[in-house]
Amino acid sequence: ISGRLSRYLGHSHLISAKQFAYKKNLGTKDALLSISHKVQQALDRVYETRVVQLDFSAAFDRVSRAGLLLKLQSFGISGPVLSILTQFFTDRTDRVCVGNCYMDWYSVHSGVP
């Protein structure tokens, strides 16, 4: 599902060309190289250059699953694929274990499994 969904989103131009994460053969090093190249070009032209860095390392912990499913629907994802993803994202539970001590199960409403 992941591969087919990625191809569909890519061919439909629903994912920005500026996105490097979760694209085949692209990643953090490519994003850093792109930024470095743009900064170097600006410096070569003697433009004022500023870089603002943001850390999204825990961003997926806060993703609304309902919102993600709505976004997929707006991209034209439907039928069995949407049904499978809906089942995968909903009714998820988790619990904490330390040694042999287990907490009670609790519902998880956000985050990407």
Side-chain angles (χ1 to χ4, degrees), residues 20-67:
F20 292 91
Y22 309 107
K23 290 174 106 178
K24 192 170 185 167
N25 300 320
L26 292 176
T28 305
K29 66 180 182 237
D30 300 292
L32 290 172
L33 185 59
S34 174
I35 290 168
S36 297
H37 179 69
K38 289 177 184 179
V39 168
Q40 189 60 54
Q41 283 181 323
L43 292 172
D44 289 345
R45 294 181 179 136
V46 195
Y47 292 160
E48 183 176 332
T49 305
R50 298 174 189 204
V51 176
V52 176
Q53 296 176 300
L54 302 172
D55 179 9
F56 291 108
S57 60
F60 285 108
D61 294 341
R62 305 204 190 306
V63 170
S64 162
R65 293 182 184 155

Short mmCIF file of all heavy atoms in Angstrom, two decimals, residues 20-67:
data_model
loop_
_atom_site.label_atom_id
_atom_site.label_comp_id
_atom_site.label_asym_id
_atom_site.label_seq_id
_atom_site.Cartn_x
_atom_site.Cartn_y
_atom_site.Cartn_z
N PHE A 20 11.37 16.16 1.13
CA PHE A 20 12.41 15.14 0.97
C PHE A 20 12.12 13.88 1.77
O PHE A 20 12.52 12.80 1.39
CB PHE A 20 13.77 15.72 1.38
CG PHE A 20 14.26 16.79 0.45
CD1 PHE A 20 13.97 18.12 0.67
CD2 PHE A 20 15.00 16.46 -0.68
CE1 PHE A 20 14.41 19.10 -0.19
CE2 PHE A 20 15.46 17.43 -1.55
CZ PHE A 20 15.16 18.76 -1.31
N ALA A 21 11.43 14.03 2.89
CA ALA A 21 11.16 12.87 3.74
C ALA A 21 10.14 11.94 3.09
O ALA A 21 9.24 12.37 2.39
CB ALA A 21 10.62 13.34 5.09
N TYR A 22 10.33 10.66 3.30
CA TYR A 22 9.41 9.61 2.85
C TYR A 22 9.28 9.53 1.34
O TYR A 22 8.26 9.11 0.83
CB TYR A 22 8.05 9.77 3.53
CG TYR A 22 8.18 9.89 5.02
CD1 TYR A 22 7.98 11.11 5.65
CD2 TYR A 22 8.59 8.82 5.79
CE1 TYR A 22 8.14 11.24 7.01
CE2 TYR A 22 8.76 8.93 7.15
CZ TYR A 22 8.53 10.15 7.75
OH TYR A 22 8.69 10.27 9.10
N LYS A 23 10.31 9.99 0.63
CA LYS A 23 10.35 9.83 -0.82
C LYS A 23 11.54 8.95 -1.15
O LYS A 23 12.60 9.08 -0.55
CB LYS A 23 10.49 11.19 -1.51
CG LYS A 23 9.24 12.05 -1.40
CD LYS A 23 9.48 13.42 -1.97
CE LYS A 23 8.82 13.58 -3.30
NZ LYS A 23 9.02 14.95 -3.84
N LYS A 24 11.35 8.05 -2.08
CA LYS A 24 12.39 7.09 -2.43
C LYS A 24 13.67 7.80 -2.85
O LYS A 24 13.64 8.72 -3.67
CB LYS A 24 11.90 6.17 -3.55
CG LYS A 24 12.80 4.98 -3.78
CD LYS A 24 12.17 3.98 -4.71
CE LYS A 24 13.04 2.76 -4.80
NZ LYS A 24 12.38 1.65 -5.43
N ASN A 25 14.77 7.36 -2.29
CA ASN A 25 16.11 7.87 -2.58
C ASN A 25 16.33 9.33 -2.17
O ASN A 25 17.25 9.97 -2.65
CB ASN A 25 16.47 7.69 -4.06
CG ASN A 25 16.45 6.24 -4.47
OD1 ASN A 25 16.88 5.37 -3.72
ND2 ASN A 25 15.92 5.96 -5.64
N LEU A 26 15.48 9.87 -1.32
CA LEU A 26 15.66 11.22 -0.80
C LEU A 26 15.57 11.18 0.72
O LEU A 26 14.88 10.35 1.29
CB LEU A 26 14.60 12.18 -1.34
CG LEU A 26 14.67 12.51 -2.82
CD1 LEU A 26 13.48 13.38 -3.23
CD2 LEU A 26 15.96 13.20 -3.17
N GLY A 27 16.26 12.11 1.36
CA GLY A 27 16.20 12.15 2.82
C GLY A 27 16.82 13.42 3.36
O GLY A 27 16.96 14.42 2.65
N THR A 28 17.23 13.37 4.61
CA THR A 28 17.77 14.53 5.30
C THR A 28 18.98 15.12 4.60
O THR A 28 19.08 16.33 4.44
CB THR A 28 18.13 14.15 6.75
OG1 THR A 28 16.98 13.57 7.37
CG2 THR A 28 18.58 15.36 7.54
N LYS A 29 19.88 14.26 4.15
CA LYS A 29 21.09 14.78 3.49
C LYS A 29 20.75 15.55 2.23
O LYS A 29 21.39 16.55 1.90
CB LYS A 29 22.08 13.65 3.22
CG LYS A 29 21.60 12.65 2.20
CD LYS A 29 22.62 11.56 1.96
CE LYS A 29 22.08 10.63 0.91
NZ LYS A 29 21.97 9.29 1.27
N ASP A 30 19.73 15.12 1.52
CA ASP A 30 19.31 15.82 0.31
C ASP A 30 18.70 17.19 0.64
O ASP A 30 18.94 18.17 -0.05
CB ASP A 30 18.31 14.98 -0.48
CG ASP A 30 18.92 13.65 -0.88
OD1 ASP A 30 19.84 13.64 -1.71
OD2 ASP A 30 18.47 12.62 -0.33
N ALA A 31 17.92 17.23 1.72
CA ALA A 31 17.34 18.50 2.15
C ALA A 31 18.44 19.47 2.57
O ALA A 31 18.42 20.65 2.21
CB ALA A 31 16.36 18.27 3.30
N LEU A 32 19.42 18.98 3.33
CA LEU A 32 20.53 19.83 3.76
C LEU A 32 21.36 20.31 2.57
O LEU A 32 21.78 21.47 2.52
CB LEU A 32 21.41 19.08 4.76
CG LEU A 32 20.80 18.83 6.12
CD1 LEU A 32 21.69 17.90 6.95
CD2 LEU A 32 20.55 20.12 6.85
N LEU A 33 21.59 19.45 1.60
CA LEU A 33 22.34 19.84 0.41
C LEU A 33 21.58 20.91 -0.38
O LEU A 33 22.17 21.89 -0.85
CB LEU A 33 22.59 18.62 -0.47
CG LEU A 33 23.46 18.82 -1.69
CD1 LEU A 33 24.84 19.33 -1.30
CD2 LEU A 33 23.59 17.52 -2.46
N SER A 34 20.29 20.77 -0.49
CA SER A 34 19.47 21.75 -1.19
C SER A 34 19.53 23.11 -0.49
O SER A 34 19.71 24.15 -1.14
CB SER A 34 18.02 21.26 -1.26
OG SER A 34 17.19 22.24 -1.81
N ILE A 35 19.38 23.11 0.82
CA ILE A 35 19.44 24.36 1.59
C ILE A 35 20.83 24.98 1.47
O ILE A 35 20.96 26.19 1.24
CB ILE A 35 19.07 24.11 3.07
CG1 ILE A 35 17.59 23.77 3.18
CG2 ILE A 35 19.42 25.32 3.93
CD1 ILE A 35 17.18 23.24 4.53
N SER A 36 21.87 24.18 1.62
CA SER A 36 23.24 24.68 1.53
C SER A 36 23.49 25.31 0.16
O SER A 36 24.12 26.37 0.05
CB SER A 36 24.25 23.56 1.76
OG SER A 36 24.12 23.05 3.04
N HIS A 37 22.99 24.67 -0.89
CA HIS A 37 23.16 25.18 -2.24
C HIS A 37 22.47 26.55 -2.40
O HIS A 37 23.06 27.49 -2.96
CB HIS A 37 22.62 24.18 -3.25
CG HIS A 37 22.72 24.62 -4.67
ND1 HIS A 37 23.93 24.73 -5.33
CD2 HIS A 37 21.77 25.01 -5.55
CE1 HIS A 37 23.71 25.16 -6.56
NE2 HIS A 37 22.41 25.33 -6.73
N LYS A 38 21.25 26.67 -1.90
CA LYS A 38 20.52 27.93 -2.00
C LYS A 38 21.20 29.04 -1.20
O LYS A 38 21.28 30.18 -1.66
CB LYS A 38 19.08 27.74 -1.55
CG LYS A 38 18.27 26.93 -2.54
CD LYS A 38 16.88 26.68 -2.06
CE LYS A 38 16.16 25.78 -3.05
NZ LYS A 38 14.82 25.47 -2.66
N VAL A 39 21.69 28.71 -0.02
CA VAL A 39 22.40 29.70 0.80
C VAL A 39 23.68 30.14 0.08
O VAL A 39 23.99 31.34 0.02
CB VAL A 39 22.70 29.15 2.21
CG1 VAL A 39 23.68 30.05 2.96
CG2 VAL A 39 21.42 28.98 3.00
N GLN A 40 24.42 29.18 -0.47
CA GLN A 40 25.66 29.52 -1.17
C GLN A 40 25.38 30.41 -2.38
O GLN A 40 26.11 31.37 -2.64
CB GLN A 40 26.40 28.26 -1.61
CG GLN A 40 27.78 28.53 -2.16
CD GLN A 40 28.69 29.22 -1.14
OE1 GLN A 40 28.85 28.73 -0.04
NE2 GLN A 40 29.26 30.36 -1.50
N GLN A 41 24.32 30.12 -3.13
CA GLN A 41 23.95 30.96 -4.27
C GLN A 41 23.64 32.38 -3.82
O GLN A 41 24.07 33.35 -4.46
CB GLN A 41 22.72 30.39 -4.99
CG GLN A 41 23.01 29.22 -5.88
CD GLN A 41 21.76 28.73 -6.57
OE1 GLN A 41 20.67 28.72 -6.00
NE2 GLN A 41 21.91 28.32 -7.84
N ALA A 42 22.90 32.52 -2.73
CA ALA A 42 22.56 33.84 -2.21
C ALA A 42 23.81 34.59 -1.75
O ALA A 42 23.96 35.78 -2.02
CB ALA A 42 21.55 33.71 -1.07
N LEU A 43 24.71 33.90 -1.08
CA LEU A 43 25.95 34.53 -0.63
C LEU A 43 26.81 34.95 -1.81
O LEU A 43 27.42 36.03 -1.80
CB LEU A 43 26.72 33.58 0.30
CG LEU A 43 26.08 33.32 1.66
CD1 LEU A 43 26.84 32.23 2.40
CD2 LEU A 43 25.99 34.58 2.49
N ASP A 44 26.87 34.12 -2.85
CA ASP A 44 27.63 34.46 -4.05
C ASP A 44 27.10 35.73 -4.72
O ASP A 44 27.87 36.49 -5.31
CB ASP A 44 27.61 33.31 -5.06
CG ASP A 44 28.43 32.11 -4.62
OD1 ASP A 44 29.25 32.26 -3.69
OD2 ASP A 44 28.24 31.02 -5.21
N ARG A 45 25.80 35.95 -4.61
CA ARG A 45 25.19 37.14 -5.19
C ARG A 45 25.17 38.32 -4.22
O ARG A 45 24.55 39.34 -4.50
CB ARG A 45 23.77 36.81 -5.65
CG ARG A 45 23.75 35.81 -6.79
CD ARG A 45 22.33 35.54 -7.23
NE ARG A 45 22.33 34.60 -8.33
CZ ARG A 45 21.52 33.56 -8.44
NH1 ARG A 45 20.59 33.36 -7.53
NH2 ARG A 45 21.61 32.75 -9.46
N VAL A 46 25.78 38.11 -3.06
CA VAL A 46 25.86 39.11 -1.99
C VAL A 46 24.46 39.52 -1.51
O VAL A 46 24.19 40.67 -1.21
CB VAL A 46 26.70 40.35 -2.42
CG1 VAL A 46 27.07 41.19 -1.22
CG2 VAL A 46 27.95 39.94 -3.17
N TYR A 47 23.55 38.56 -1.45
CA TYR A 47 22.22 38.79 -0.90
C TYR A 47 22.29 38.57 0.60
O TYR A 47 23.08 37.76 1.10
CB TYR A 47 21.19 37.82 -1.48
CG TYR A 47 20.86 37.99 -2.93
CD1 TYR A 47 20.29 36.95 -3.64
CD2 TYR A 47 21.09 39.19 -3.60
CE1 TYR A 47 19.96 37.09 -4.98
CE2 TYR A 47 20.77 39.34 -4.94
CZ TYR A 47 20.20 38.29 -5.63
OH TYR A 47 19.88 38.42 -6.94
N GLU A 48 21.45 39.29 1.31
CA GLU A 48 21.33 39.02 2.75
C GLU A 48 20.69 37.65 2.89
O GLU A 48 19.71 37.32 2.21
CB GLU A 48 20.44 40.07 3.41
CG GLU A 48 20.33 39.88 4.90
CD GLU A 48 19.53 40.98 5.57
OE1 GLU A 48 19.50 42.12 5.07
OE2 GLU A 48 18.93 40.67 6.61
N THR A 49 21.27 36.83 3.74
CA THR A 49 20.81 35.44 3.86
C THR A 49 20.54 35.10 5.32
O THR A 49 21.36 35.37 6.18
CB THR A 49 21.88 34.48 3.30
OG1 THR A 49 22.18 34.89 1.97
CG2 THR A 49 21.39 33.06 3.30
N ARG A 50 19.40 34.51 5.56
CA ARG A 50 19.04 34.06 6.91
C ARG A 50 18.48 32.65 6.82
O ARG A 50 17.80 32.31 5.86
CB ARG A 50 18.00 34.98 7.53
CG ARG A 50 18.49 36.39 7.69
CD ARG A 50 17.41 37.29 8.16
NE ARG A 50 17.88 38.67 8.09
CZ ARG A 50 17.41 39.63 8.81
NH1 ARG A 50 16.43 39.41 9.67
NH2 ARG A 50 17.88 40.85 8.70
N VAL A 51 18.76 31.88 7.83
CA VAL A 51 18.25 30.51 7.88
C VAL A 51 17.51 30.33 9.21
O VAL A 51 18.05 30.67 10.26
CB VAL A 51 19.40 29.47 7.78
CG1 VAL A 51 18.85 28.06 7.94
CG2 VAL A 51 20.13 29.62 6.45
N VAL A 52 16.31 29.84 9.13
CA VAL A 52 15.53 29.52 10.33
C VAL A 52 15.37 28.02 10.36
O VAL A 52 14.94 27.41 9.39
CB VAL A 52 14.14 30.20 10.29
CG1 VAL A 52 13.31 29.79 11.50
CG2 VAL A 52 14.29 31.71 10.21
N GLN A 53 15.73 27.41 11.47
CA GLN A 53 15.62 25.95 11.59
C GLN A 53 14.52 25.61 12.58
O GLN A 53 14.41 26.21 13.64
CB GLN A 53 16.94 25.37 12.08
CG GLN A 53 18.07 25.58 11.08
CD GLN A 53 19.39 25.08 11.63
OE1 GLN A 53 19.85 25.55 12.66
NE2 GLN A 53 19.97 24.13 10.94
N LEU A 54 13.73 24.62 12.23
CA LEU A 54 12.66 24.13 13.09
C LEU A 54 12.86 22.63 13.28
O LEU A 54 13.23 21.92 12.35
CB LEU A 54 11.29 24.39 12.45
CG LEU A 54 10.98 25.86 12.13
CD1 LEU A 54 9.70 25.95 11.33
CD2 LEU A 54 10.88 26.67 13.40
N ASP A 55 12.57 22.15 14.46
CA ASP A 55 12.71 20.73 14.76
C ASP A 55 11.33 20.08 14.80
O ASP A 55 10.54 20.35 15.69
CB ASP A 55 13.42 20.54 16.09
CG ASP A 55 13.57 19.08 16.47
OD1 ASP A 55 13.28 18.21 15.64
OD2 ASP A 55 13.98 18.81 17.61
N PHE A 56 11.07 19.25 13.81
CA PHE A 56 9.80 18.53 13.74
C PHE A 56 9.98 17.06 14.10
O PHE A 56 9.23 16.21 13.64
CB PHE A 56 9.19 18.65 12.34
CG PHE A 56 8.72 20.02 12.00
CD1 PHE A 56 9.42 20.79 11.08
CD2 PHE A 56 7.60 20.56 12.61
CE1 PHE A 56 8.99 22.06 10.76
CE2 PHE A 56 7.17 21.83 12.30
CZ PHE A 56 7.87 22.59 11.37
N SER A 57 10.97 16.74 14.92
CA SER A 57 11.29 15.35 15.19
C SER A 57 10.13 14.58 15.82
O SER A 57 10.01 13.38 15.62
CB SER A 57 12.53 15.25 16.08
OG SER A 57 12.30 15.90 17.31
N ALA A 58 9.27 15.26 16.56
CA ALA A 58 8.14 14.56 17.18
C ALA A 58 6.82 14.93 16.52
O ALA A 58 5.75 14.71 17.08
CB ALA A 58 8.10 14.88 18.67
N ALA A 59 6.87 15.48 15.31
CA ALA A 59 5.67 15.96 14.64
C ALA A 59 4.63 14.85 14.45
O ALA A 59 3.44 15.08 14.59
CB ALA A 59 6.02 16.59 13.30
N PHE A 60 5.09 13.64 14.14
CA PHE A 60 4.13 12.57 13.88
C PHE A 60 3.44 12.07 15.14
O PHE A 60 2.43 11.39 15.06
CB PHE A 60 4.81 11.41 13.13
CG PHE A 60 5.05 11.72 11.70
CD1 PHE A 60 6.32 11.96 11.23
CD2 PHE A 60 3.99 11.79 10.81
CE1 PHE A 60 6.53 12.26 9.90
CE2 PHE A 60 4.18 12.09 9.48
CZ PHE A 60 5.46 12.33 9.02
N ASP A 61 3.95 12.45 16.30
CA ASP A 61 3.27 12.09 17.55
C ASP A 61 1.97 12.87 17.71
O ASP A 61 1.13 12.52 18.51
CB ASP A 61 4.17 12.36 18.75
CG ASP A 61 5.39 11.47 18.77
OD1 ASP A 61 5.37 10.43 18.08
OD2 ASP A 61 6.36 11.81 19.47
N ARG A 62 1.83 13.96 16.98
CA ARG A 62 0.68 14.84 17.14
C ARG A 62 -0.26 14.85 15.94
O ARG A 62 -1.18 15.64 15.88
CB ARG A 62 1.17 16.26 17.41
CG ARG A 62 2.12 16.32 18.59
CD ARG A 62 2.15 17.67 19.21
NE ARG A 62 3.16 17.91 20.20
CZ ARG A 62 3.41 17.21 21.27
NH1 ARG A 62 2.73 16.13 21.52
NH2 ARG A 62 4.35 17.53 22.12
N VAL A 63 -0.03 13.97 14.98
CA VAL A 63 -0.88 13.93 13.79
C VAL A 63 -2.27 13.43 14.17
O VAL A 63 -2.41 12.39 14.81
CB VAL A 63 -0.26 13.00 12.71
CG1 VAL A 63 -1.24 12.76 11.57
CG2 VAL A 63 1.03 13.59 12.19
N SER A 64 -3.27 14.18 13.77
CA SER A 64 -4.65 13.76 13.99
C SER A 64 -4.97 12.67 12.97
O SER A 64 -4.90 12.89 11.76
CB SER A 64 -5.60 14.94 13.80
OG SER A 64 -6.92 14.49 13.58
N ARG A 65 -5.33 11.51 13.45
CA ARG A 65 -5.63 10.41 12.53
C ARG A 65 -6.86 10.71 11.70
O ARG A 65 -6.91 10.43 10.51
CB ARG A 65 -5.78 9.11 13.30
CG ARG A 65 -4.47 8.68 13.91
CD ARG A 65 -4.61 7.39 14.63
NE ARG A 65 -3.34 7.09 15.26
CZ ARG A 65 -3.22 6.33 16.32
NH1 ARG A 65 -4.29 5.78 16.85
NH2 ARG A 65 -2.04 6.10 16.84
N ALA A 66 -7.87 11.29 12.34
CA ALA A 66 -9.09 11.66 11.60
C ALA A 66 -8.74 12.68 10.52
O ALA A 66 -9.21 12.59 9.38
CB ALA A 66 -10.14 12.21 12.54
N GLY A 67 -7.89 13.64 10.86
CA GLY A 67 -7.45 14.64 9.88
C GLY A 67 -6.66 14.03 8.75
O GLY A 67 -6.81 14.41 7.58
#
